[in-house]
Amino acid sequence: MNEQTPAALKPGGEQGYLRIATEEAFAPPEMMPLYRDVLDGPDPDPGFKSLMGFYIRSQSPRARFIFERLQDLGALRLADMDARGIDKQVIALTSPGTQVLPTDKAVALAVLANDQLGEACRRHPDRFAGMAACAPQDPEGAAREIERAVSKYGMRAVIINSHTNGEYLDHPKFSPILEAAQALDVPIYIHPNTPPRSMIGPMLEKGLDGAIFGFGVETGMHALRLITSGTLDRFPKLRVILGHMGEALPFWMYRLDFMHKAGVGAARYECMKPTQKRPSDYLRENFYITNSGVAWEPAIKFTQEVIGVERVLYAMDYPYQCPPEEVVALDAMRMPLEHKKKFFQTNAERVFKL
Amino acid sequence: MNEQTPAALKPGGEQGYLRIATEEAFAPPEMMPLYRDVLDGPDPDPGFKSLMGFYIRSQSPRARFIFERLQDLGALRLADMDARGIDKQVIALTSPGTQVLPTDKAVALAVLANDQLGEACRRHPDRFAGMAACAPQDPEGAAREIERAVSKYGMRAVIINSHTNGEYLDHPKFSPILEAAQALDVPIYIHPNTPPRSMIGPMLEKGLDGAIFGFGVETGMHALRLITSGTLDRFPKLRVILGHMGEALPFWMYRLDFMHKAGVGAARYECMKPTQKRPSDYLRENFYITNSGVAWEPAIKFTQEVIGVERVLYAMDYPYQCPPEEVVALDAMRMPLEHKKKFFQTNAERVFKL
């Protein structure tokens, strides 16, 4: 790293585009005691214990850096944005958010998180935009809370931190959430969670359950379930956002199409009926992809090529991954300025109606 | 599809390169009753039941097409190769091979499979090359069988159909297998298997446990375990081949490096110690990638770009996925003939010492 380079970063659009970061995390301070209760309770979810047990309890510089910044929606965050040249953050309740809590506490946390984030967005309308939290454990209540957060605070999307106690959005019980998002025309951002108990075994055994690998496969699978279960045929106007370069689904697209057609054609699974379109069609028509965690030109350009330049958005993944050098590297990508502006700015403005 | 186009396909190298397909499958007819015994036994592995229960029992055209061809090492296979323009197949015992059987039956099947495949390679030395099967359930015996198959039949690689009863090659018990492969300088081809019981839950629930998704995440994880466990530091000359475009690990490379460094730096896992190199370095120095199942120019060129043109090899995935149109599409890839020749021919000649 050239230590002088990041000093050149600043907001304001001098480089020809604003930088809007679209998968940025926060945590209400009140959430931490709730998490400690879960961690101290009987038989906590092993993925949650691995993830939040680390971030809450570890004294490592990485964990302390993140723990402090997650809970800030003011001066510290704004200073970090300034130092990294970020004009605006689209902020969401960090994973697993409400989704690991008992229903009553989850419902209350969603309200509290939306109020805290909504007020912060009102204080800094040029710098912050928000995604609505909800408690999928209570699907009807979740739909009402999404409506409240969108109408009261102008929330731009819904954050779903992937599975809820091992259940996925394709389950019919979650239909009220999908209905609300489609009716309000706000996208659902499916953020990774650690794999559920029925999936995490050999990943947890070797420390691969988190962002290094387990996050991606759990969340890629979640998105794929929405496609192959026919959920997106039931909600054809639903817009879904995936981070981390689409959790590799763009790279898998050819194989998804081939094997989906083969499996459906052979009627291999009772649960896998024909869908209206190929898996890749849904990826190109219902999904948007952010590059959170992947500040890497080859993967970004690949995804622009196969999914579309209009559908690939910038994200930083603050505070989990926020080296200024990554912004410098992305600014330097060899692509037309017009494409770079879509990536950093105008796609986000369109998708989130900023 | 243009029905006339595939008629132009033939072996012989007229297009400027031979086509060597490097992940092609067979099954001894004697294996099928052994599989039926497992399927009919108490509590069969759910992934095996989903996979081989389908291919053995389904009357769908796809299952019958594959079942017949898996068991042929003669005229039918050669005719299929001719019709698809394939000069040579590098053939291996189909997944899960021995690895789902009781140890004694697994050991016997490995010998039988190697004898059948070895004799077929002797009958058709210009068209067939083989990989050695083994029974990882008996690691010392597996090492001896690999040595026998390599010395007697000139087998070019070792096939490991991913996990063995939920255990992976990073387990120290499997060291004899890695030692034998390294000492004989034959690569290990890690072919997918369905995820083990401790991982398959939400994939099986929605029909995503097989080649459409579960194969890739299980096998990508296997390779990643070899890297992050330090196994490739213990066996630095070991060569590993992954199919299916590297099971997406090339696409994940940036994130693997970032999160591996972050996790190791924070000492998050007792089981994840520092390694000598970054994950991406191992992928570029110990691994070879085939495009089995992915006849798709963007993913092939991406992988050539980030892993190296010398390390990306052609595979067809016969008989599971063998439309002639895929060969036509790959012949038509827009890349220098020199790169295409490496992809189709000379990389395979070098890696397998053909």
Side-chain angles (χ1 to χ4, degrees), chain A residues 99-211:
Chain A
Q99 290 167 241
V100 74
L101 299 174
T103 303
D104 57 339
K105 292 183 180 173
V107 169
L109 176 62
V111 173
L112 181 148
N114 288 332
D115 287 343
Q116 276 190 17
L117 180 57
E119 294 299 337
C121 292
R122 285 183 176 173
R123 283 194 300 275
H124 305 286
D126 294 338
R127 307 303 299 277
F128 297 163
M131 301 193 215
C134 68
Q137 296 92 326
D138 170 15
E140 295 283 356
R144 287 193 300 273
E145 179 58 18
I146 292 166
E147 287 159 10
R148 185 188 78 92
V150 170
S151 63
K152 180 166 184 182
Y153 298 114
M155 294 293 191
R156 309 297 179 165
V158 176
I159 183 75
I160 297 290
N161 286 303
S162 204
H163 76 86
T164 304
N165 299 315
E167 292 183 319
Y168 293 86
L169 289 178
D170 56 273
H171 194 297
K173 74 198 271 184
F174 296 125
S175 291
I177 296 172
L178 308 186
E179 279 164 16
Q182 185 174 266
L184 295 162
D185 196 24
V186 288
I188 293 180
Y189 201 122
I190 305 183
H191 183 284
N193 192 350
T194 47
R197 206 179 286 264
S198 56
M199 186 178 179
I200 201 169
M203 292 183 264
L204 185 62
E205 186 177 70
K206 284 291 166 184
L208 302 176
D209 49 300

Side-chain angles (χ1 to χ4, degrees), chain A residues 50 170 198-199 201-202 205-207 209 211-212 225 244 250 254-256 258 268-269 272 296 321 326, chain B residues 50 170 198-199 201-202 205-207 209 211-212 225 244 250 254-256 258-259 268-269 272 296 321 326:
Chain A
S50 170
D170 56 273
S198 56
M199 186 178 179
E205 186 177 70
K206 284 291 166 184
D209 49 300
I212 190 172
R225 288 173 61 122
H244 315 102
Y254 185 93
R255 192 152 165 80
L256 295 176
F258 188 96
R268 177 166 166 185
Y269 296 98
M272 197 184 280
W296 193 35
Q321 182 170 341
E326 292 194 339
Chain B
S50 171
D170 56 273
S198 55
M199 187 177 178
E205 186 177 68
K206 283 290 165 182
D209 50 299
I212 190 173
R225 287 174 62 121
H244 315 99
Y254 185 94
R255 192 154 165 80
L256 294 175
F258 188 97
M259 286 299 169
R268 176 166 166 185
Y269 295 98
M272 197 184 280
W296 192 36
Q321 182 169 343
E326 291 194 339

Side-chain angles (χ1 to χ4, degrees), chain B residues 9-316:
Chain B
L9 291 170
K10 55 184 178 184
E14 256 180 39
Q15 59 283 345
Y17 46 83
L18 301 176
R19 298 189 197 89
I20 304 174
T22 61
E23 188 208 290
E24 317 308 308
F26 92 108
E30 296 86 344
M31 190 171 85
M32 299 309 179
L34 301 173
Y35 277 10
R36 286 198 181 88
D37 287 349
V38 175
L39 291 170
D40 292 339
D43 196 22
D45 176 78
F48 179 71
K49 188 175 165 189
S50 171
L51 183 73
M52 275 297 157
F54 170 72
Y55 283 117
I56 288 181
R57 292 170 174 166
S58 167
Q59 293 306 313
S60 67
R62 173 170 168 80
R64 290 305 93 206
F65 178 96
I66 290 167
F67 189 75
E68 181 185 11
R69 280 163 176 76
L70 276 176
Q71 300 177 71
D72 181 276
L73 286 172
L76 179 56
R77 183 174 297 252
L78 289 165
D80 281 345
M81 289 168 65
D82 289 343
R84 289 158 180 77
I86 302 301
D87 291 278
K88 183 172 276 196
Q89 283 192 347
V90 185
I91 303 172
L93 180 63
T94 200
S95 185
T98 65
Q99 291 168 242
V100 74
L101 299 174
T103 303
D104 58 339
K105 293 184 179 172
V107 168
L109 176 63
V111 173
L112 181 149
N114 288 333
D115 288 343
Q116 277 191 17
L117 180 57
E119 294 298 339
C121 293
R122 284 182 177 174
R123 282 194 300 275
H124 306 285
D126 294 338
R127 308 302 300 278
F128 296 164
M131 302 192 214
C134 68
Q137 297 92 326
D138 169 16
E140 294 283 357
R144 287 193 300 274
E145 178 58 19
I146 292 166
E147 287 159 10
R148 185 187 79 92
V150 170
S151 63
K152 181 166 184 181
Y153 296 114
M155 295 291 190
R156 309 297 178 164
V158 177
I159 182 73
I160 298 290
N161 286 304
S162 204
H163 76 87
T164 305
N165 299 316
E167 292 183 320
Y168 293 87
L169 289 178
D170 56 273
H171 194 297
K173 75 198 269 184
F174 296 125
S175 291
I177 297 172
L178 308 186
E179 278 165 15
Q182 186 175 264
L184 295 162
D185 196 24
V186 288
I188 294 180
Y189 202 122
I190 306 183
H191 184 283
N193 193 349
T194 46
R197 208 179 283 266
S198 55
M199 187 177 178
I200 202 170
M203 291 183 265
L204 184 61
E205 186 177 68
K206 283 290 165 182
L208 302 176
D209 50 299
I212 190 173
F213 189 73
F215 270 20
V217 301
E218 199 272 340
T219 307
M221 180 191 68
H222 193 160
L224 190 53
R225 287 174 62 121
L226 289 180
I227 293 171
T228 59
S229 65
T231 303
L232 290 175
D233 289 335
R234 290 195 293 128
F235 297 96
K237 293 183 178 170
L238 192 65
R239 297 181 295 149
V240 183
I241 309 176
L242 292 176
H244 315 99
M245 228 60 256
E247 313 297 354
L249 291 186
F251 193 70
W252 281 120
M253 243 168 26
Y254 185 94
R255 192 154 165 80
L256 294 175
D257 281 353
F258 188 97
M259 286 299 169
H260 183 253
K261 186 177 178 185
V264 169
R268 176 166 166 185
Y269 295 98
E270 175 64 27
C271 63
M272 197 184 280
K273 302 292 188 196
T275 49
Q276 289 176 16
K277 300 182 283 190
R278 297 174 301 178
S280 64
D281 295 326
Y282 297 95
L283 286 170
R284 291 195 185 96
E285 294 169 19
N286 291 84
F287 284 82
Y288 300 90
I289 306 295
T290 86
N291 79 313
S292 51
V294 186
W296 192 36
E297 180 174 340
I300 292 167
K301 285 163 94 167
F302 174 88
T303 307
Q304 288 180 326
E305 177 187 351
V306 304
I307 297 281
V309 171
E310 312 295 326
R311 291 184 172 269
V312 182
L313 285 69
Y314 172 61
M316 173 169 265

